[in-house]
Every structure is written in structure tokens, then in C-alpha cells.
């Protein structure tokens, strides 16, 4: 690290100049090339150089100058060292822990959806958003939490901005959890509809996890390595056998399910996983999906470097005007909402104030872990963008447009998509389905299947060739489904505890988390909450993702806006207002984006964008006694109207939460400016020698 | 010409170190910190108190990872 930080040596200066030049050349090729296919390797080189320079010249500046990390200050890990929660941990090991905790479905799915506007707009936001927004947020929250004994974001808001702001943020976090779980479950649901192979493999992960659970509990207690290896081998066997299942009609029938059935199964599964003891189902699945996630990300990176595919998607498509078929809305603000976690993720602020701050050895490592892990996450998003952009654009749109737009046959789809300007033949579309072993790949919205096709193309061209494409495609689906379902399990439990806490304020007996009655009622309530939005998404006429993904993205970015507002307030309270622009700039941008997006989702008269506009359209049709597709009865029509109003309310509440937080932020900043003394409530004193000591 | 034995020893210890660090990282990714560090800490600071066995330690950590309410959110985006 010390050599990396030291720019004074002339060799280092030359090295940084070389990195900057290489990055500039690669970036120019990616951004300025028109007409010719650009190789994905340039994108990788440009991104890597930008990350290196951003870390060295901006990340370290924010840490050392703006936040003022203090290498002599004792960290919570040293102060409360218990060998369990609070352990001073090697920074590289902790980096792995932190990255594994923040990496999830968001950076993989968001960029795939954003590719409808071409690869360039999304790529620019992934890079700029991470460097100036996401990484700054993750690092600053990690810093604040480290200075407060590893307290959670909610606690920090309460302590620094008052109990009312704390409660508002708490309600916001709860609602955000609901919509996040629903939309992620929807991604899995959409990927498995009518896919016996994928469904079989994903279903098999449940008995495999149970077996692993029993193994690590009773047969060889605590042997994580053995049990994970066993799980991986069995999962691979299920994946290979899935092909046979899909080719045997009598077996395939059991796993060829509709979206509604899958939604009910996922909801039921979430309930069971939340009620069962963690060692039996949740923990083993979590281990399996964590290792699979890290392994697959590494494999994809190696694949892209070896194969160096050309990007087929144009740099910019005509859909930047907001007429795109994948998701509703124009470039501003919806592109910035769609990318979500690859650029800025509010969710990370919950993780950065979770387990990681309790293991930081020294404050000087906060930049490497907080800022660095987010840059890696952003790189995952760049790889997802590459995965979506190397497949035929016509196939991309066939996969990501709902049947209402492109019809249900390859001929219709090819005609419609060619008319959009992406020439494609019906054969192109059916050939991809045949290659990956599916009956159809049309209208497989949600991003996961598209990324799976991209990954299958990359991985099969250096491992196995065309014959293994089906295996790789379903491997990618399985990998995404596995860790999304793990999030659903864990998230349902988080929601359950939050609900128990909330209701417990009225009925104290409900707070007792070890009671089975409370456990079952709490789990049922939390499943019902996200399950409702999942089901609404599945029966949505426009395919669910089209309507709900922007709501998910808005929720996530709003949480980031809240976190960055808190960071700004604390910088003022620390009397570091000179440097507060490092969080004010991204916070302002996010507040502008999310409130614009939220208000458009509520108020836009365009029924494709605004929920109320959509409700009015269906309401008028009901009054006139007409039926609008896909509703088949007047009852279904009124259900769509009702759902629209629920979605509109949720979007409005998100906007209110952000506006309220910003107002409280401004009040606290004013108060801090009026006080000549620093007022941030930090724990521990500056100058106490770091490391060692024990309370 | 370099001594082949030295070279072999060096690469063997490099492999051992890589294994050691990657195992620790993989374990912490799933919420299980280093057991030896825990034992060393208990022996140094609380010599009069009982020390959990590895299995007890593993179960305690597994339970703690999912005992929400202390702000343990993970793997979403």
C-alpha cells in the first residue's frame, strides 16, 4: 500500500501518467467510436484505469482530507475486541468480507436493463456514479459508523439528526426492504417461467441446502469447506440432470410453471425459510450462494479478458427519448434510477454500518475497504453491461420486451424489432433459444436471462463450445436465482424483526422473537408485504419489470440520498464544512433524480410512466364498460386500478421521506454552522494509540 | 543457476500462505471470523473464563449472522 500511495518517486509519477494515458485512449475508443464494433477489452481497460486513478487521487483525498481519517485513533475493533463481533481484521480479508456483503443482484440486473439506451449512457453513469457517489457514500458511512462503535445507519440518523428524522428514515428503510425483496423475487420468477431446466435446478438447491445443513450440524459440525464442496458438486449434478428433465415431457411437466404459480411457491418458500432454524436452510444456502457468487464473478472477469468479445449493441440507441420497450421513462431521471447498485446503492449504507466497521484494524484502511469495494462492485456492473451488449441487439430486445409489445411468435417479434431499427430474423431469435436449451427466449424480462445468454456466449467460447451453452446458460440462471433467493430469505427475516419491533411498541408481547406464535405471525406478515408486490408484478400487463424496476431503483437511490444527507450533516457538525461538497454534490444529484422520478411515477399523465395516469386510463375504460388487455374481466380491471393506486402511494411516500430527511438535514446544518464547536457525537478520543488496548 | 530446493521451498510456502489467507477470507465472507484469533484473545484477556470449542464457536457465529436487529443487512445490491 505504501508504495501505491507514494507518488513522489519519479518512477511512480511516470507510472500514473502511463495509467492516465492508457485510460484516456481506451475511453476515447469506447466513447467516440461510431459505426464499427468496439471490443469489450477497451471498456475493461478504460474502467480499470479510471478506478485506479479515482482511488489514488479522489478516494484517498476524501478519506485523508475531507473525512480526516486518523491512524492513531482507536477503532471499535480494538476497543471492544471480543474475538467474535469486534475483531481487528487484516484489511485484505475484510475487503473480501465487505465485497461479498455488498455484491448482489443489483449490479448484474440494472446495467442489463439500461442497455436499451445503448452501452455508453449506462457505462458513463456506472463509472461517474461509483467514483463520485457510491464509493464516497460507502466509505463515509463506514467512517461514521467506525467512529461510533459500529452503530447502524438508523442509529446514526437518530443521534445526529434527532428522533423524528430517525423514525422517518426507519419507515423509509422498511418500505425500501419490501420493494427490494418483491422486485428481486420478480427477477427470479420471470427467469423461471416455462423453463423446466432452470426451475428443476433451482428447486434442487432446497433439498441440497437441507442436506448441507444437517451435515454441518450433526455429521461434521462446523466443516464449512467440506459442506460447501458437497453442495457445489450436488448442485452441478442437478444442473446437468436438468437437461434430461427438460427433454423428458413427463418430468418436464412438473417444472413447467406459470408466473403466478412460481410467485406463490417463492412466497411460500420465503415463509418456510424465515420460520425454520437458520442452520437448516438459510445458512447453508447463504454459504453456497456466497461462494458461487464470488467464483462466478471471477470466472466472468477471466472469460471477458480471454474471449475479448465485440460489443454488438450501438453506443447510443434511439430509445434515449424514453420510448424504449424494456422499462418506461426517459434518460433523465430514469437511466440513473435503473442502473441502481452498480453506481450508487443505498443498501450499501446499511452494510457499511453493519459488521464491517466492527472489524476495521485502523482508520487508514477505511478508504481501501469502503471506497475500494464499491469500485469492484462498479466493475461487476461494467461486466454485466458487457454481457448484455455482446449479444445481438435484436435478440436483446426480443428477450426484454413484453409480449404485449412484440407478440408471441418469433416472426412477429422479428418484424416489430426490425421496424425499431434492429434488423433481426426469426431464425436469429429461435437459434438462441435452441442453443441454450429453452423452448423460447422471448419476453424473458428482468435482466437475468439476458445476462445468462451473454455469460453463456462468453464462457462457452473458451470452455466447452456451443454444446455446453445450455449448461452455462442455466448455470448463470441458477447462480442469479440462488443468491436472489438467499436475499429473499434473509430479507424476510429482517422485515420480520422490523415488523415485530414496530408492532411490539403497541403489543409488547409481540417483541419476543423466540416465541413461535410471534415468529409465524411476523413471518407471514412480512411475506404478505413483499409477496403482494411480487404477485402484482407477475400479473402486470406490461410484464412487471417495466413498471416496478424504476420503483425499486428509486427506492434504492433514495436510501443513498438519505445516507449522503446524514454524511453531509455530520461533516458540518465536525466543522469540516470546507470539504462537505464531496457528499453534497452526489446527495443533491440523487435527491433531484429520485424526487423527479418519484413524482413522475405518481403524476405523469403518460399512462406508461405514471401510476395515476394508468389508473385513470383503466378507470375510464371501466366506466365505458370496456376491457383493456390483459384484463379479461371487469374485476381484473378494477384490481389493476387498485394496484396502481397502491404503487402511486408508495412512490409518493418515498418522495416524502427524502424531502423530510433533506429538510431535517438543512435544519441541522444551520444549527451546526451557528455553533463554533464541533457537535458530532463521536465515540473515543483522537490520539489514543490504535491497536492493542482492550476495554 | 538457482538452487532448486530453495525454489521449491519458497513456492511451497507461497502456496501455504495463499491457502491460509484465502481460507480466512472465504470464512469471513460467510460470517465466521478466525477461530485461532478468538482463542488467543480469550487466553490473553480472559484466562479465567471458559473458551468455546470450534463447534460451539461456529454455531454461535452462525446464529449471530442471522440474528437481525443489530443492523445486519447483507447481499442485496
Amino acid at each position: 500500500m505504501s508504495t501505491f500511495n507514494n507518488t513522489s518517486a519519479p518512477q511512480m509519477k511516470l507510472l500514473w501518467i502511463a495509467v492516465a494515458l492508457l485510460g484516456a485512449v481506451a475511453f476515447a475508443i469506447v466513447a467516440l467510436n461510431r459505426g464499427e464494433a468496439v471490443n469489450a477489452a477497451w471498456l475493461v481497460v478504460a474502467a480499470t484505469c479510471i478506478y485506479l486513478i479515482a482511488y489514488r487521487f479522489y478516494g484517498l483525498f476524501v478519506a485523508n482530507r475531507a473525512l480526516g481519517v486518523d491512524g492513531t485513533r482507536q477503532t471499535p475493533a480494538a476497543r471492544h475486541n471480543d474475538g467474535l463481533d469486534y475483531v481487528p481484521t487484516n484489511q485484505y480479508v475484510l475487503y473480501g468480507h465487505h465485497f461479498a456483503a455488498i455484491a448482489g443482484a443489483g449490479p448484474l440486473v440494472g446495467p442489463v436493463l439500461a442497455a436499451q439506451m445503448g452501452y455508453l449512457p449506462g457505462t458513463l453513469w456506472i463509472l461517474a456514479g461509483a467514483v463520485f457517489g457510491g464509493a464516497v457514500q460507502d466509505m463515509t458511512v463506514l467512517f461514521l459508523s467506525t467512529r461510533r462503535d459500529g452503530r447502524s445507519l438508523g442509529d446514526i440518523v437518530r443521534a445526529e439528526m434527532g428522533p423524528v428524522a430517525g423514525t422517518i428514515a426507519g419507515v423509509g428503510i422498511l418500505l425500501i426492504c419490501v420493494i427490494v425483496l418483491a422486485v428481486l423475487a420478480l427477477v427470479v420468477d420471470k427467469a423461471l417461467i416455462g423453463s423446466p431446466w432452470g426451475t428443476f435446478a433451482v428447486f434442487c438447491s432446497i433439498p441440497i441446502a437441507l442436506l448441507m445443513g444437517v451435515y454441518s450440524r450433526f455429521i461434521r459440525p462446523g466443516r464449512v469447506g467440506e459442506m460447501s464442496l458437497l453442495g457445489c458438486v450436488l448442485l452441478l449434478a442437478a444442473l446437468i440432470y436438468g437437461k434430461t428433465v427438460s427433454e423428458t415431457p413427463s418430468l418436464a411437466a412438473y417444472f413447467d410453471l406459470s408466473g403466478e404459480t412460481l410467485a406463490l411457491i417463492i412466497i411460500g418458500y420465503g415463509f418456510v425459510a424465515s420460520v425454520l432454524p437458520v442452520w437448516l436452510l438459510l445458512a447453508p444456502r447463504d454459504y453456497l450462494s456466497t461462494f458461487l457468487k464470488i467464483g462466478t464473478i471471477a470466472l466472468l472477469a477471466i472469460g471477458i479478458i480471454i474471449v475479448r468479445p465485440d460489443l454488438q449493441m450501438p453506443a447510443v440507441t434511439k430509445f434515449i427519448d424514453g420510448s424504449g420497450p424494456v422499462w418506461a421513462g426517459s434518460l433523465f431521471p430514469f437511466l440513473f434510477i435503473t442502473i441502481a447498485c452498480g453506481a450508487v446503492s443505498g443498501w450499501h449504507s446499511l452494510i457499511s454500518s453493519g459488521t464491517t466497521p466492527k472489524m476495521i484494524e485502523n482508520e487508514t484502511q477505511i478508504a481501501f475497504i469502503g471506497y475500494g469495494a464499491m469500485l469492484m462492485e462498479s466493475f461487476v456492473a461494467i461486466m454485466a453491461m458487457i454481457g448484455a451488449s455482446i449479444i445481438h441487439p435484436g435478440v436483446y430486445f426480443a428477450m426484454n420486451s413484453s409480449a404485449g409489445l412484440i407478440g408471441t411468435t418469433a416472426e412477429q417479434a422479428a418484424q416489430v424489432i426490425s421496424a425499431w431499427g434492429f434488423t433481426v430474423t426469426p431464425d436469429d431469435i429461435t437459434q438462441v433459444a435452441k442453443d441454450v436449451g429453452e423452448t423460447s427466449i422471448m419476453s424473458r424480462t428482468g435482466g437475468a436471462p439476458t445476462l445468462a445468454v451473454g455469460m453463456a456466449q462468453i464462457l462457452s467460447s473458451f470452455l466447452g463450445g456451443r454444446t455446453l451453452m445450455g449448461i452455462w446458460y442455466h448455470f448463470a440462471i441458477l447462480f442469479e436465482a440462488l443468491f436472489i433467493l438467499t436475499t429473499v430469505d434473509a430479507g424476510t427475516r429482517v422485515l420480520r424483526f422490523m415488523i415485530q419491533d414496530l408492532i411490539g411498541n403497541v403489543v409488547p408481547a409481540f417483541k419476543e422473537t423466540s416465541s413461535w406464535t410471534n415468529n409465524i405471525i411476523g413471518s407471514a406478515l412480512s411475506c404478505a408485504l413483499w409477496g403482494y408486490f411480487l404477485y402484482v408484478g407477475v400479473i402486470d400487463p406490461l410484464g412487471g419489470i417495466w413498471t416496478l424496476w424504476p420503483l425499486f431503483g428509486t427506492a434504492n437511490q433514495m436510501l443513498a440520498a438519505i445516507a449522503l444527507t446524514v454524511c453531509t450533516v455530520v461533516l458540518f457538525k465536525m466543522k469540516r464544512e470546507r470539504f462537505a461538497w464531496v457528499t453534497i454534490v452526489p446527495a443533491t444529484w440523487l435527491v433531484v433524480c429520485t424526487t423527479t422520478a418519484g413524482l413522475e411515477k405518481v403524476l405523469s399523465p403518460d399512462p406508461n410512466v405514471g401510476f395515476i395516469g394508468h389508473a385513470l386510463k383503466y378507470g375510464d375504460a371501466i366506466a365505458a364498460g370496456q376491457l383493456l388487455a390483459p384484463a379479461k374481466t371487469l374485476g381484473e380491471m378494477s384490481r389493476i386500478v387498485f394496484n396502481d393506486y397502491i404503487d402511486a402511494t408508495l412512490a409518493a411516500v418515498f418522495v416524502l421521506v427524502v424531502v423530510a430527511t433533506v429538510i431535517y438535514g438543512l435544519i441541522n446544518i444551520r444549527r451546526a454552522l451557528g455553533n463554533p464547536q464541533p457537535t458530532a457525537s463521536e465515540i473515543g478520543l483522537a490520539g489514543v494509540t490504535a491497536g492493542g488496548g482492550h476495554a | 543457476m538457482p538452487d532448486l530446493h530453495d525454489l521449491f521451498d519458497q513456492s511451497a510456502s507461497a502456496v501455504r500462505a495463499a491457502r491460509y489467507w484465502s481460507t480466512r477470507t472465504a470464512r469471513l465472507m460467510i460470517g465466521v471470523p478466525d477461530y485461532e484469533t478468538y482463542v488467543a484473545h480469550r487466553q490473553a484477556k480472559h484466562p479465567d473464563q471458559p473458551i468455546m470449542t470450534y463447534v460451539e464457536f461456529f454455531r454461535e457465529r452462525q446464529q449471530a449472522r442471522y440474528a437481525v436487529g443489530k443492523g445486519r443487512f447483507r447481499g442485496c445490491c
Side-chain angles (χ1 to χ4, degrees):
Chain A
M1 288 301 291
S2 54
T3 47
F4 191 58
N5 295 345
N6 179 11
T7 35
S8 53
Q11 306 96 298
M12 286 306 290
K13 267 190 188 146
L14 278 177
L15 192 64
W16 281 112
I17 290 170
V19 170
L21 283 176
L22 180 64
V25 169
F27 191 76
I29 290 173
V30 169
L32 303 177
N33 201 321
R34 290 291 179 276
E36 266 173 81
V38 173
N39 194 289
W42 290 114
L43 202 51
V44 170
V45 172
T48 310
C49 292
I50 288 172
Y51 294 143
L52 287 174
I53 289 173
Y55 176 76
R56 173 59 191 86
F57 294 97
Y58 190 62
L60 291 181
F61 162 78
V62 174
N64 297 333
R65 304 269 300 160
L67 303 178
V69 295
D70 179 356
T72 64
R73 199 179 165 113
Q74 209 180 31
T75 60
R79 197 177 310 125
H80 299 290
N81 191 349
D82 61 1
L84 298 168
D85 282 321
Y86 295 91
V87 192
T89 304
N90 174 286
Q91 61 175 337
Y92 301 103
V93 174
L94 192 54
Y95 182 95
H97 166 83
H98 187 69
F99 175 68
I102 63 172
L108 292 172
V109 174
V112 173
L113 301 179
Q116 79 158 336
M117 293 188 170
Y119 66 81
L120 192 57
T123 300
L124 292 179
W125 174 236
I126 291 171
L127 295 173
V131 167
F132 296 106
V136 174
Q137 175 211 242
D138 289 17
M139 172 170 69
T140 311
V141 173
L142 182 60
F143 169 74
L144 296 188
S145 185
T146 305
R147 286 245 169 133
R148 286 161 183 74
D149 273 354
R151 293 251 189 87
S152 71
L153 181 73
D155 285 345
I156 297 175
V157 177
R158 215 163 294 128
E160 299 292 344
M161 291 167 66
V164 181
T167 309
I168 292 172
V171 171
I173 292 172
L174 184 100
L175 290 176
I176 287 162
C177 278
V178 171
I179 200 76
V180 163
L181 292 182
V183 172
L184 290 180
L186 185 61
V187 169
V188 175
D189 187 295
K190 291 279 166 192
L192 295 183
I193 293 174
S195 167
W197 188 345
T199 310
F200 172 78
V202 173
F203 278 16
C204 276
S205 71
I206 297 168
I208 292 171
L210 292 173
L211 183 72
M212 287 168 64
V214 171
Y215 185 89
S216 78
R217 187 78 178 182
F218 301 113
I219 303 175
R220 297 266 288 167
R223 301 297 177 129
V224 184
E226 285 171 26
M227 110 192 201
S228 302
L229 200 65
L230 177 77
C232 280
V233 170
L234 288 175
L235 208 56
L236 222 58
L239 187 67
I240 294 167
Y241 187 66
K243 187 175 164 66
T244 317
V245 170
S246 71
E247 287 164 355
T248 318
S250 57
L251 281 174
Y254 289 106
F255 300 100
D256 191 350
L257 304 173
S258 70
E260 287 89 334
T261 316
L262 280 166
L264 293 176
I265 292 174
I266 295 172
I267 296 167
Y269 167 77
F271 174 75
V272 172
S274 165
V275 170
L276 286 180
V278 288
W279 59 264
L280 186 56
L281 181 58
L282 179 50
R285 264 188 84 108
D286 180 16
Y287 301 169
L288 203 56
S289 65
T290 302
F291 297 143
L292 206 59
K293 177 169 76 186
I294 299 297
T296 309
I297 287 173
L299 192 65
L300 185 59
I302 295 169
I304 290 176
I305 293 164
I306 294 182
V307 179
R308 293 188 302 278
D310 279 337
L311 302 176
Q312 310 276 330
M313 183 66 79
V316 181
T317 72
K318 64 170 185 171
F319 295 130
I320 50 170
D321 62 357
S323 62
V326 182
W327 41 272
S330 47
L331 188 124
F332 177 83
F334 287 101
L335 176 80
F336 306 98
I337 302 303
T338 304
I339 298 271
C341 319
V344 188
S345 171
W347 200 265
H348 297 181
S349 65
L350 301 179
I351 297 159
S352 297
S353 59
T355 49
T356 311
K358 297 177 181 130
M359 293 187 275
I360 298 265
E361 231 172 7
N362 190 301
E363 280 191 5
T364 52
Q365 298 164 353
I366 285 175
F368 174 63
I369 292 161
Y371 199 92
M374 180 61 210
L375 292 182
M376 185 62 94
E377 170 101 333
S378 172
F379 185 69
V380 172
I382 291 283
M383 293 201 295
M385 180 62 88
I386 291 173
S389 303
I390 59 157
I391 64 179
H392 190 303
V395 173
Y396 169 86
F397 286 108
M399 292 189 76
N400 288 291
S401 311
S402 68
L405 289 170
I406 56 165
T408 47
T409 67
E411 286 72 23
Q412 283 172 316
Q415 206 181 356
V416 173
I417 294 166
S418 297
W420 289 340
F422 302 94
T423 315
V424 65
T425 65
D427 279 349
D428 291 335
I429 298 173
T430 47
Q431 186 58 46
V432 172
K434 215 174 286 168
D435 284 344
V436 300
E438 288 285 315
T439 46
S440 162
I441 45 106
M442 284 168 48
S443 303
R444 291 210 168 267
T445 55
T450 311
L451 181 64
V453 169
M455 281 174 67
Q457 281 191 2
I458 294 170
L459 296 175
S460 68
S461 46
F462 80 106
L463 292 170
R466 213 169 206 181
T467 44
L468 279 194
M469 246 186 104
I471 299 266
W472 281 122
Y473 171 83
H474 289 94
F475 172 79
I477 293 281
L478 178 69
F479 133 84
E480 289 174 274
L482 209 61
F483 68 74
I484 288 181
L485 288 178
T486 305
T487 303
V488 169
D489 300 352
T492 304
R493 289 180 77 88
V494 173
L495 259 185
R496 185 187 114 202
F497 283 97
M498 285 200 224
I499 292 170
Q500 282 191 252
D501 205 47
L502 216 66
I503 298 182
N505 291 331
V506 188
V507 191
F510 201 64
K511 269 194 179 169
E512 182 44 60
T513 47
S514 56
S515 145
W516 272 92
T517 326
N518 291 349
N519 182 346
I520 288 173
I521 297 173
S523 302
L525 277 176
S526 80
C527 286
L529 271 177
W530 62 260
Y532 169 79
F533 288 99
L534 168 61
Y535 201 80
V536 167
V538 170
I539 59 171
D540 184 276
L542 294 160
I545 293 293
W546 208 73
T547 331
L548 287 181
W549 185 268
L551 201 57
F552 159 84
T554 309
N556 186 5
Q557 305 292 289
M558 283 189 163
L559 188 52
I562 293 174
L564 282 164
T565 306
V566 182
C567 295
T568 309
V569 168
V570 176
L571 281 175
F572 274 92
K573 292 180 96 172
M574 291 170 81
K575 289 285 156 206
R576 290 188 163 272
E577 58 258 26
R578 239 167 356 124
F579 298 110
W581 56 267
V582 299
T583 54
I584 290 176
V585 171
T588 310
W589 174 248
L590 288 178
V591 168
V592 169
C593 276
T594 54
T595 48
T596 314
L599 290 175
E600 277 194 32
K601 287 308 275 182
V602 179
L603 300 173
S604 170
D606 179 356
N608 288 335
V609 176
F611 289 122
I612 291 180
H614 192 258
L616 289 178
K617 180 178 156 193
Y618 275 72
D620 289 348
I622 292 175
Q626 292 169 331
L627 287 179
L628 295 179
K632 295 188 188 69
T633 63
L634 279 178
E636 282 180 19
M637 294 280 289
S638 25
R639 214 176 308 147
I640 289 176
V641 172
F642 176 75
N643 292 338
D644 279 334
Y645 281 113
I646 296 263
D647 290 344
T649 312
L650 198 63
V653 171
F654 286 155
V655 173
L656 286 179
V657 166
V658 166
V659 170
T661 310
V662 170
I663 291 173
Y664 271 95
L666 291 175
I667 293 173
N668 279 288
I669 287 172
R670 222 185 110 103
R671 205 173 291 159
L673 283 174
N675 192 329
Q677 296 300 319
T679 45
S681 49
E682 295 181 341
I683 292 173
L685 293 169
V688 177
T689 309
H694 180 59
Chain B
M1 179 171 163
D3 190 335
L4 275 178
H5 278 285
D6 274 1
L7 210 63
F8 183 77
D9 283 350
Q10 275 166 12
S11 52
S13 70
V15 167
R16 260 200 307 280
R19 218 191 114 131
Y20 172 75
W21 287 108
S22 57
T23 309
R24 284 180 73 151
T25 308
R27 279 173 181 265
L28 193 62
M29 276 181 182
I30 56 162
V32 181
D34 195 38
Y35 179 64
E36 278 74 40
T37 307
Y38 161 78
V39 172
H41 168 79
R42 298 297 288 187
Q43 280 168 347
K45 303 285 175 180
H46 311 276
D48 48 333
Q49 287 171 25
I51 298 176
M52 288 188 272
T53 64
Y54 174 68
V55 172
E56 288 167 343
F57 172 81
F58 173 74
R59 287 188 181 165
E60 196 278 339
R61 285 292 83 198
Q62 194 177 51
Q63 208 62 42
R65 181 167 165 89
Y66 306 99
V68 202
K70 294 187 199 165
R72 286 171 203 273
F73 291 88
R74 268 173 315 101
C76 174
C77 306

